[in-house]
Amino acid sequence: MYIALLAYTAPRNEVDYALAEHAEWLRTHFSRGLFLVSGKGDIDHDQVILTRPCVRGKLDAVLATDPLVIQRLAHYTVIEFSATRTAHEFHAINEALAS
């Protein structure tokens, strides 16, 4: 699994113009099943995405298509981790990790 941390590299007023496209991009990858959770981050990371396990190259390719990245308004830092315990609400992920 991965945590993708998005940091804006441009002033917020410039980022705001691309947020609708970014939101549509997120919807696409949620509907395709890659993204599990997304939301606002802390001071250092403006947004956070939790993904399903996948090949790292696939994730990198998907993140490169984010309109915020294409327009050079933000960049991602990715943290890979192996989930060994999850809450009951993530039961389907537990099963995927066990196989």
Side-chain angles (χ1 to χ4, degrees), residues 3-97:
I3 300 171
L5 304 169
L6 182 70
Y8 300 147
T9 57
R12 181 61 196 241
N13 63 333
E14 292 179 33
V15 171
D16 286 345
Y17 287 108
L19 287 180
E21 292 175 81
H22 172 73
E24 181 59 34
W25 174 83
L26 284 170
R27 277 190 287 281
T28 297
H29 294 291
F30 270 104
S31 69
R32 292 180 180 169
L34 179 60
F35 296 167
L36 297 171
V37 177
S38 70
K40 292 187 181 276
D42 62 12
I43 294 170
D44 295 325
H45 301 98
D46 297 290
Q47 294 186 29
V48 177
I49 302 171
L50 177 64
T51 75
R52 292 187 183 277
C54 67
V55 175
R56 174 64 189 264
K58 175 184 176 181
L59 177 61
D60 290 341
V62 167
L63 296 177
T65 66
D66 183 339
L68 295 174
V69 173
I70 291 171
Q71 295 175 45
R72 299 178 193 260
L73 301 172
H75 69 86
Y76 282 96
T77 300
V78 177
I79 300 169
E80 182 175 7
F81 72 101
S82 297
T84 55
R85 183 177 300 168
T86 61
H88 178 72
E89 294 83 4
F90 281 94
H91 182 70
I93 296 172
N94 289 342
E95 291 179 0
L97 294 172

